[in-house]
Amino acid sequence: MKQLKTSLSHLIQLSDSELEFLESKLVRHEYKAKSIIINQEKIVDSIFFIDKGLLRTYYLQDSKEINTYFACEGQFITVYSSFITQSPSIEFLEAINDCVLYSISFDTMKALYAYDSKFEKLGRIIAEKNYLCIIDRTRKMQSLTAKEKYLDFIDSHDKKIVTGVPQHQIATYLGIAPESLSRVRKQIVTS
């Protein structure tokens, strides 16, 4: 819970009683590596805070996994489009390694919003960060070379993600072939 308190303190200021109220609504989960937490086609009912572990979202295209997001300790994750609209998910959420997560259901989030406007602010900030992340990624996908994409990935992602995510998953996230990523990594090491 210390990790959650630290992460929240960077987003909003909660009193001890507000924090206790929030903690009373959280549900703790443990998942083993490679566990599917959210299945494609299912309506996403929860948003997760990562206390421990590394997760990814991805979808299937012609039976190939296309990674769309990675997150580690101290971050929130879900398939936001499904969570917000309460419509079937177009993506999967998977634990890359063993994880400890805390979830807040969609209905609980609505109850938190009604309880105090600070929680509405938290929901807005999380949604805004998600939107800005998507816009930034789209721009980079359209304008950067493979080498620039990888260098930006290294600079903009937590070291746990850079070192803990398999290279073939990073390649699909960057929109490049695994062989191209391998060449880029060799260029960087030799330069």
Side-chain angles (χ1 to χ4, degrees), residues 4-67:
L4 177 62
K5 290 176 187 177
T6 301
S7 293
L8 288 175
S9 71
H10 296 297
L11 302 175
I12 59 171
Q13 298 303 313
L14 294 176
S15 68
D16 289 343
S17 63
E18 291 164 338
L19 194 54
E20 285 175 23
F21 182 74
L22 174 61
E23 288 175 353
S24 74
K25 302 296 182 189
L26 298 174
V27 179
R28 187 178 191 275
H29 307 270
E30 291 186 25
Y31 294 98
K32 295 289 183 192
K34 300 190 184 262
S35 295
I36 300 294
I37 299 162
I38 295 173
N39 271 300
Q40 190 177 40
E41 305 291 323
K42 300 293 183 188
I43 294 174
V44 176
D45 184 48
S46 297
I47 186 170
F48 299 92
F49 177 80
I50 306 168
D51 191 55
K52 175 185 170 247
L54 187 59
L55 293 97
R56 70 179 178 133
T57 56
Y58 69 95
Y59 63 93
L60 297 175
Q61 182 176 340
D62 301 324
S63 300
K64 181 181 174 188
E65 295 176 0
I66 307 296
N67 292 277

Side-chain angles (χ1 to χ4, degrees), residues 2-140:
K2 183 179 178 187
Q3 184 114 250
L4 177 62
K5 290 176 187 177
T6 301
S7 293
L8 288 175
S9 71
H10 296 297
L11 302 175
I12 59 171
Q13 298 303 313
L14 294 176
S15 68
D16 289 343
S17 63
E18 291 164 338
L19 194 54
E20 285 175 23
F21 182 74
L22 174 61
E23 288 175 353
S24 74
K25 302 296 182 189
L26 298 174
V27 179
R28 187 178 191 275
H29 307 270
E30 291 186 25
Y31 294 98
K32 295 289 183 192
K34 300 190 184 262
S35 295
I36 300 294
I37 299 162
I38 295 173
N39 271 300
Q40 190 177 40
E41 305 291 323
K42 300 293 183 188
I43 294 174
V44 176
D45 184 48
S46 297
I47 186 170
F48 299 92
F49 177 80
I50 306 168
D51 191 55
K52 175 185 170 247
L54 187 59
L55 293 97
R56 70 179 178 133
T57 56
Y58 69 95
Y59 63 93
L60 297 175
Q61 182 176 340
D62 301 324
S63 300
K64 181 181 174 188
E65 295 176 0
I66 307 296
N67 292 277
T68 57
Y69 192 72
F70 302 108
C72 63
E73 288 97 353
Q75 297 178 321
F76 290 92
I77 191 168
T78 193
V79 178
Y80 286 98
S81 59
S82 175
F83 180 74
I84 291 167
T85 63
Q86 289 295 279
S87 60
S89 175
I90 59 171
E91 296 178 294
F92 295 89
L93 174 62
E94 180 185 50
I96 294 174
N97 54 24
D98 292 352
C99 296
V100 175
L101 309 176
Y102 290 94
S103 69
I104 300 173
S105 73
F106 183 79
D107 289 337
T108 300
M109 188 70 91
K110 286 174 28 181
L112 287 170
Y113 293 166
Y115 175 77
D116 192 299
S117 64
K118 288 181 184 179
F119 294 114
E120 274 187 318
K121 181 179 180 183
L122 175 63
R124 179 182 51 80
I125 290 169
I126 292 170
E128 287 171 353
K129 286 181 172 287
N130 185 58
Y131 172 76
L132 293 173
C133 180
I134 291 167
I135 294 299
D136 185 54
R137 180 165 181 256
T138 301
R139 182 189 57 77
K140 289 173 183 174

